[in-house]
């Protein structure tokens, strides 16, 4: 994404060839102004999917999708760009599953399990498969007790929460207090269709500060949650000042339901 004359422009780059091409602006609804609402997903050609999603270079089809929730309704607007046709289309998608949120703020978009997942760190996730002919939005609320009674600022939520793909599953990570003790908690989305989260671990901050390598960083700067390792689920990453610090949480063995 680049800013040119204050108008956002998006480029699709092939990391193998180094070739980049500008994504044309949607003909309806104006340019893609908020990158937090825009996701990219790929699928091998011939892998199925309606809506003209087949094709694309090197046997791969790409879809760029922007989700615009329509508050107070049971549907949202999905704007799609297909790499095979080079065209945009816009359609309404309905909520499926356990209901839908009363309000929505896009914080991130994740490509996972052949779906795009739009994340609102104050309430949950919205997911759909852009390659299917009839898209329905699946709403997955955050784990029990994780929806704040009063919404905080977006900056506070981004510091203390994140949703990331790790070990083939989506994980929700949160820095919070439990009985007055600062902890890091990790939940795994075990069953998206039924919004089932399994608590994987609770890690007290006292365990982090007691480790040898922590002596080289200062406690005056708070840790901000960043991500989990895409393969090693017990490895969490936090931002500390200008750099990232990896922390092995031991979540594989410290399960607490």
């Amino acid at each position: 994404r680049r800013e040119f004359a204050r108008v956002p422009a998006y480029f699709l780059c092939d990391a193998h060839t180094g070739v980049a091409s500008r994504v044309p602006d949607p003909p309806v609804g104006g340019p893609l102004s908020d990158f937090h609402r825009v996701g990219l997903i790929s699928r091998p050609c011939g892998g199925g999917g309606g809506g003209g999603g087949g094709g694309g270079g090197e046997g791969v089809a790409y879809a760029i999708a922007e989700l615009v929730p329509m508050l107070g309704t049971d549907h949202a607007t999905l704007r799609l760009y297909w790499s095979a046709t080079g065209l945009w289309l816009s359609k309404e998608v309905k909520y499926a599953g356990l209901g839908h949120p009363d309000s929505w703020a896009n914080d991130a978009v994740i490509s996972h399990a052949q779906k795009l997942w739009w994340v609102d760190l104050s309430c949950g996730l919205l997911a759909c498969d852009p390659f299917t002919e009839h898209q329905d939005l699946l709403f997955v609320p955050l784990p029990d007790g994780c929806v704040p009674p009063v919404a905080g600022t977006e900056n506070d939520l981004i510091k203390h929460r994140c949703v990331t793909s790790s070990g083939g599953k989506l994980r929700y990570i949160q820095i919070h207090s439990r009985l007055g003790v600062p902890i890091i908690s990790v939940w795994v989305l075990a069953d998206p269709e039924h919004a089932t989260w399994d608590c994987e671990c609770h890690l007290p901050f006292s365990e982090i500060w007691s480790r040898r390598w922590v002596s080289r960083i200062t406690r005056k700067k708070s840790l901000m949650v960043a991500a989990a390792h895409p393969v090693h689920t017990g490895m969490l990453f936090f931002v500390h000042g200008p750099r990232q610090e990896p922390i092995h949480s031991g979540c594989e063995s410290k399960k607490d339901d």
Side-chain angles (χ1 to χ4, degrees):
R1 174 177 179 267
R2 291 182 57 189
E3 297 285 346
F4 180 73
R6 297 186 179 181
V7 177
Y10 290 79
F11 294 82
L12 189 60
C13 178
D14 188 324
H16 297 286
T17 64
V19 176
S21 59
R22 189 184 187 281
V23 178
D25 292 332
V28 178
L32 303 175
S33 58
D34 186 356
F35 67 92
H36 290 111
R37 302 193 312 201
V38 182
L40 171 68
I41 188 171
S42 64
R43 184 166 297 179
C45 290
E58 299 296 326
V60 177
Y62 297 94
I64 298 173
E66 180 193 38
L67 182 68
V68 184
M70 302 179 69
L71 303 182
T73 71
D74 63 351
H75 58 273
T77 298
L78 188 66
R79 297 203 291 178
L80 292 168
Y81 171 80
W82 303 107
S83 63
T85 64
L87 299 176
W88 284 91
L89 62 90
S90 180
K91 60 174 63 179
E92 289 187 0
V93 289
K94 292 186 176 182
Y95 294 98
L98 299 176
H100 58 86
D102 295 328
S103 62
W104 190 262
N106 291 281
D107 293 306
V109 187
I110 300 171
S111 177
H112 172 78
Q114 299 184 355
K115 289 183 174 67
L116 283 176
W117 300 76
W118 285 266
V119 179
D120 183 338
L121 293 173
S122 69
C123 65
L125 297 80
L126 289 172
C128 79
D129 180 356
F131 288 96
T132 59
E133 184 175 356
H134 301 288
Q135 291 97 351
D136 286 328
L137 284 173
L138 174 66
F139 174 53
V140 179
L142 293 178
D144 291 341
C146 293
V147 176
V150 178
T153 65
E154 181 179 353
N155 192 43
D156 290 337
L157 293 177
I158 292 176
K159 286 180 180 179
H160 301 136
R161 302 172 171 215
C162 82
V163 176
T164 183
S165 177
S166 176
K169 294 184 178 181
L170 289 178
R171 282 172 163 77
Y172 171 68
I173 307 170
Q174 178 175 300
I175 297 176
H176 58 126
S177 294
R178 192 182 191 190
L179 300 178
V181 178
I183 63 173
I184 300 163
S185 297
V186 181
W187 288 265
V188 180
L189 185 56
D191 184 354
E193 297 296 328
H194 296 90
T196 302
W197 295 89
D198 290 342
C199 186
E200 195 168 49
C201 75
H202 297 300
L203 178 67
F205 264 85
S206 58
E207 291 192 22
I208 297 176
W209 298 124
S210 66
R211 297 175 184 178
R212 292 181 179 179
W213 64 266
V214 179
S215 60
R216 71 174 183 266
I217 66 177
T218 175
R219 300 189 192 186
K220 294 181 180 180
K221 296 181 180 179
S222 61
L223 293 175
M224 294 185 296
V225 62
H229 193 284
V231 177
H232 305 294
T233 59
M235 183 70 71
L236 306 180
F237 292 88
F238 296 84
V239 175
H240 181 265
R243 63 187 180 187
Q244 274 195 356
E245 296 287 351
I247 296 174
H248 193 279
S249 67
C251 282
E252 303 96 333
S253 58
K254 291 189 177 182
K255 294 185 178 180
D256 183 357
D257 296 328

